[in-house]
């Protein structure tokens, strides 16, 4: 019996890895650029097509459509960031898969140890975890989950997902 | 399988972590300690039958290094990081 789910490889997003204190990053980038810092660990704030994910102590990922990469790069000025803030463009380092369908959570559970129940992993949850043995970023999307892995593990992850869905 | 308390993420599966080894005593000053104590510190890894203080790295998660006390007989985590969720 197969699962009622499917997956697809998504086009890359614009993604910036931000490290530093909230105050240092906010001061450098300006509060108007960011959608606001999430108040809880492993949560995201979304606004105006941007998503700011709190993925570690003093670490955030800023994501948007790839069309906005140049605009964000110009606004963030990674090359000129002060010593208190690190800003690195990592758009091409991640490959994202969208797993959607009624059984999406069951498919993820094959390779991911996270508790993905609504109460433990709500709509604005985002977290690094493990997926088929490799580090992966998991978030909710409409009807399922988006799983991002390092680009070099993309083909392997695609193979694992295809086997899981058989 | 253990659930390890991460100060940032809360309890997470052991497979998300890398073992960082037991916490060793403070390094003695080599010029002020005897050979026996120096060799003991340098070569002997804490390996008690019971609670041992260990370092773990949340390498597949948030990247935090944390310290726990784990009972080597039962794998029960008898003391986690103070601010673990």
């Amino acid at each position: 019996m197969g699962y009622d789910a499917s997956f697809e490889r998504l086009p890359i997003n614009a993604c910036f890895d931000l490290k530093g204190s909230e105050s240092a990053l906010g001061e450098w980038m300006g509060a108007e650029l960011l959608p606001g810092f999430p108040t809880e660990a492993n949560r995201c704030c979304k606004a105006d097509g941007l998503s700011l994910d709190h993925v570690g102590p003093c670490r955030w990922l800023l994501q948007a459509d790839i069309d906005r990469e140049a605009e964000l790069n110009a606004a963030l000025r990674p090359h000129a960031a002060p010593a208190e803030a690190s800003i690195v463009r990592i758009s091409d380092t991640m490959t994202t898969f969208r797993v959607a369908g009624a059984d999406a959570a069951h498919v993820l559970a094959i390779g991911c140890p996270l508790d993905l129940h609504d109460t433990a992993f709500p709509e604005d949850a985002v977290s690094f975890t493990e997926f088929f043995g490799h580090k992966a970023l998991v978030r909710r999307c409409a009807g399922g989950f988006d799983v991002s892995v390092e680009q070099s593990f993309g083909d392997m992850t695609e193979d694992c997902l295809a086997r899981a869905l058989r | 399988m253990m659930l390890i308390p991460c100060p940032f993420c809360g309890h997470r599966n052991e497979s998300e972590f890398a073992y960082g080894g037991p916490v060793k005593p403070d390094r003695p000053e080599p010029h002020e300690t005897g050979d026996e104590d120096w060799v003991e510190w340098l070569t002997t890894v804490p390996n008690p039958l019971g609670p041992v203080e260990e370092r773990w790295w949340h390498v597949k998660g948030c990247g935090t290094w944390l310290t726990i006390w784990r009972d080597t007989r039962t794998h029960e985590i008898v003391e986690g990081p103070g601010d673990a969720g």
Side-chain angles (χ1 to χ4, degrees):
Chain A
M1 190 182 77
Y3 292 100
D4 180 9
S6 61
F7 77 93
E8 60 173 328
R9 191 188 287 233
L10 300 180
I12 64 170
N13 272 342
C15 186
F16 292 83
D17 191 346
L18 315 178
K19 289 177 184 164
S21 66
E22 275 186 38
S23 57
L25 288 165
E27 193 176 317
W28 175 248
M29 295 183 290
E32 66 279 1
L33 176 67
L34 298 173
F37 284 94
T39 53
E40 285 183 63
N42 293 318
R43 295 287 187 271
C44 69
C45 279
K46 295 180 180 178
D48 190 29
L50 295 173
S51 173
L52 187 62
D53 310 332
H54 194 192
V55 293
C58 294
R59 186 179 178 205
W60 290 265
L61 294 179
L62 181 64
Q63 305 210 41
D65 281 345
I66 192 65
D67 299 343
R68 298 185 63 182
E69 188 183 47
E71 168 206 334
L72 286 171
N73 197 56
L76 296 172
R77 296 164 292 151
H79 56 284
E84 298 78 29
S86 165
I87 302 171
V88 180
R89 181 169 51 175
I90 59 167
S91 309
D92 58 354
T93 65
M94 308 279 273
T95 295
T96 302
F97 295 91
R98 175 158 293 172
V99 183
D103 292 337
H106 294 291
V107 174
L108 254 76
I110 297 170
C112 173
L114 265 189
D115 180 356
L116 296 170
H117 191 270
D118 294 351
T119 54
F121 199 77
E123 196 172 330
D124 62 343
V126 54
S127 178
F128 276 109
T129 181
E130 180 184 24
F131 194 56
F132 290 115
H134 294 290
K135 186 171 183 172
L137 184 71
V138 175
R139 68 170 69 240
R140 280 193 181 276
C141 66
F145 300 89
D146 284 347
V147 183
S148 303
V149 296
E150 278 188 30
Q151 189 262 345
S152 57
F153 295 130
D155 289 346
M156 193 207 82
T157 304
E158 184 171 4
D159 187 46
C160 289
L161 279 168
R163 288 165 188 264
L165 282 165
R166 274 181 196 165
Chain B
M1 191 62 76
M2 292 191 297
L3 286 177
I4 296 177
C6 169
F8 186 80
C9 302
H11 285 77
R12 289 294 182 93
N13 197 295
E14 172 193 351
S15 62
E16 292 186 7
F17 293 81
Y19 179 61
V23 176
K24 296 184 75 169
D26 289 342
R27 180 181 186 271
E29 178 55 50
H31 300 297
E32 295 174 8
T33 192
D35 285 352
E36 195 173 321
D37 289 342
W38 176 246
V39 169
E40 170 75 11
W41 179 84
L42 205 60
T43 62
T44 305
V45 177
N47 186 25
L49 185 65
V52 61
E53 191 177 21
E54 296 176 330
R55 301 279 286 155
W56 289 79
W57 180 25
H58 199 186
V59 61
K60 290 176 185 166
C62 64
T64 298
W65 277 94
L66 53 105
T67 304
I68 59 172
W69 283 88
R70 178 180 63 89
D71 193 315
T72 56
R73 297 164 297 189
T74 61
H75 290 311
E76 181 192 1
I77 296 170
V78 292
E79 189 180 325
D83 50 356

